[in-house]
């Protein structure tokens, strides 16, 4: 059969991993829900629509570079990503901003995650800045205890910045106040960020396990996994600047000495084996300064590793495809 003279131009991927799109969360039927939360709580007017708000769609747009095809063998997970099962991965789109009430974005984000959890699905969220785990974790109320595992260059323990208490410098402080959050592990910490000595003291008083990046490099990720209790529920929050800027360059706060892709992949697979990962987010990607889209691709590859590992750990009741 002869090829046609022309074919339709390629279209930007609207969903991650070619997933069906469902924006009616009351009708959601999924094992995994991909959610975009583009906006956080800005510290100043200029940051309301910062470039990180474009990250959810930017990561979706490189789906064919994250995965060449769902039927292909993926060596990160030891076979096709979905393991030959009829896994229902649904992209539920982005939480929109209401320009008449910017603070309501966080409320709707919490409501969206609550509906995802009510449908029995695992939320995997793309931010947005690092304020977005606050509404996500609030939605997990009643699902605890949850061990919070953070990959980041910064500890994010500020009580407030410019009077804003749920911004990008405060997610771990806010999480520490939630009764359903138990132990906290902060991995990849290095350089300096918003934390002052009093924030470090507050983290220590809580009992947070602060694990600098250089400790991971010296002792290995297995030593970190050995410290995390087995048989628990784990929520993973990944700030892109937790990885080294040679791995994820498109961040506002690059700091040398960060974690490698291999180390974070080992962390994800290790947590899946230890207990139950109940959700994950990846935040703080600034697509406008990405290099060959490698930051967005890396974010997608981390998501792929969580999905592939969870399938092989029999998280989901998915029949053969």
């Amino acid at each position: 059969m002869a090829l046609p003279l022309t074919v339709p131009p390629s279209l930007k991927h609207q969903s991650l991993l070619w997933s069906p799109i469902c924006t009616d969360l009351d009708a959601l039927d999924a094992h995994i829900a991909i959610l975009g939360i583009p906006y956080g709580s800005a510290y100043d007017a200029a940051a309301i629509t910062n470039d990180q708000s474009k990250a959810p769609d930017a990561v979706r747009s490189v789906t064919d570079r994250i995965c060449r095809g769902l039927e292909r063998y993926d060596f990160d997970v030891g076979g096709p990503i979905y393991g030959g099962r009829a896994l229902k991965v649904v992209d539920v789109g982005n939480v929109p901003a209401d320009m008449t009430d910017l603070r309501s974005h966080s409320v709707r984000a919490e409501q969206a995650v609550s509906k995802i959890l009510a449908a029995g699905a695992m939320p995997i969220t793309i931010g947005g800045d690092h304020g977005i785990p606050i509404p996500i974790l609030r939605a997990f109320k009643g699902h605890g205890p949850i061990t919070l595992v953070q990959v980041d260059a910064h500890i994010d323990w500020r009580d407030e910045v410019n009077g804003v208490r749920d911004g990008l410098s405060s997610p771990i402080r806010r999480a520490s106040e939630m009764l359903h959050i138990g132990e906290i592990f902060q991995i990849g910490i290095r350089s300096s960020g918003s934390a002052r000595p009093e924030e470090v003291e507050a983290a220590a008083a809580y009992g947070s396990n602060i694990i600098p990046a250089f400790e991971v490099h010296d002792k290995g990720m297995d030593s970190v996994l050995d410290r995390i209790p087995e048989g628990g529920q784990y929520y993973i929050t990944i700030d892109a600047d937790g990885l080294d800027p040679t791995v994820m360059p498109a961040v506002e706060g690059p700091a040398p000495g960060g974690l490698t892709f291999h180390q974070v992949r080992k962390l994800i697979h290790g947590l899946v084996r230890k207990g139950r990962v109940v959700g994950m987010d990846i935040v703080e990607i600034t697509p406008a300064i990405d290099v060959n889209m490698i930051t967005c691709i890396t974010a997608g590859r981390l998501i792929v590793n969580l999905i592939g590992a969870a399938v092989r750990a029999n998280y989901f009741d998915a029949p053969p495809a």
Side-chain angles (χ1 to χ4, degrees):
M1 181 177 178
L3 288 174
L5 294 179
T6 63
V7 296
S10 63
L11 298 175
K12 181 179 179 181
H13 299 292
Q14 287 189 291
S15 68
L16 190 69
L17 300 177
W18 304 279
S19 305
I21 297 171
C22 173
T23 56
D24 181 0
L25 297 185
D26 290 319
L28 180 63
D29 180 18
H31 297 111
I32 294 171
I34 306 296
L35 172 66
I37 304 183
Y39 308 103
S41 295
Y43 293 139
D44 55 66
I48 291 172
T49 56
N50 64 65
D51 193 61
Q52 294 167 358
S53 67
K54 301 174 183 176
D57 288 349
V59 174
R60 292 179 174 109
S61 76
V62 292
T63 272
D64 59 347
R65 294 172 68 185
I66 293 166
C67 169
R68 294 300 186 181
L70 291 173
E71 82 287 355
R72 309 286 182 89
Y73 195 101
D74 192 304
F75 282 86
D76 281 18
V77 299
I81 296 167
Y82 297 168
R85 303 187 189 185
L87 192 70
K88 293 179 285 188
V89 179
V90 176
D91 194 319
V92 299
N94 298 331
V95 178
D98 181 350
M99 296 308 296
T100 65
D101 182 8
L102 294 175
R103 306 287 295 177
S104 68
H105 181 266
S106 179
V107 175
R108 287 196 306 282
E110 180 181 345
Q111 292 171 342
V113 177
S114 293
K115 287 183 179 292
I116 290 168
L117 295 176
M122 173 198 289
I124 299 179
T125 307
I126 307 168
D129 67 35
H130 213 166
I132 70 160
I134 298 173
I136 294 172
L137 292 173
R138 284 174 176 156
F140 274 93
K141 183 178 180 180
H143 295 265
I146 293 170
T147 298
L148 178 59
V149 179
Q150 174 197 17
V151 172
D152 205 324
H154 314 111
I155 64 170
D156 295 344
W157 271 82
R158 285 291 290 266
D159 188 45
E160 58 84 27
V161 175
N162 294 343
V164 177
R165 302 186 73 247
D166 54 358
L168 61 92
S169 294
S170 302
I172 310 304
R173 183 67 165 257
R174 296 287 84 82
S176 73
E177 299 165 348
M178 301 179 192
L179 296 180
H180 56 287
I181 300 298
E183 283 201 81
I184 297 175
F185 290 83
Q186 302 185 260
I187 307 165
I189 307 302
R190 62 196 188 281
S191 188
S192 63
S194 66
R196 302 160 299 187
E198 52 261 45
E199 278 80 48
V200 178
E201 292 166 4
Y206 180 85
S208 180
N209 299 274
I210 297 176
I211 304 169
F214 305 106
E215 181 178 331
V216 181
H217 297 320
D218 289 343
K219 298 181 179 180
M221 187 58 78
D222 286 330
S223 70
V224 177
L225 285 163
D226 288 344
R227 294 174 57 177
I228 300 174
E230 291 195 24
Q233 297 187 107
Y234 314 108
Y235 183 88
I236 306 170
T237 179
I238 300 175
D239 188 322
D241 66 32
L243 283 81
D244 194 77
T246 59
V247 180
M248 298 189 87
V251 297
E252 288 190 351
L259 301 185
T260 67
F261 175 81
H262 168 67
Q263 289 167 335
V264 180
R265 175 189 174 275
K266 177 173 279 193
L267 174 66
I268 291 170
H269 283 255
L271 290 172
V272 168
R273 288 192 298 269
K274 288 180 80 77
R276 181 94 181 188
V277 175
V278 296
M280 183 172 82
D281 65 67
I282 300 179
V283 302
E284 302 265 343
I285 295 171
T286 53
I289 59 171
D290 209 353
V291 179
N292 199 25
M293 298 300 285
I294 192 61
T295 308
C296 292
I297 295 167
T298 300
R301 291 303 307 167
L302 293 172
I303 291 171
V304 160
N305 273 273
L306 173 59
I307 294 173
V311 169
R312 285 155 179 82
N314 296 312
Y315 275 23
F316 311 109
D317 183 18

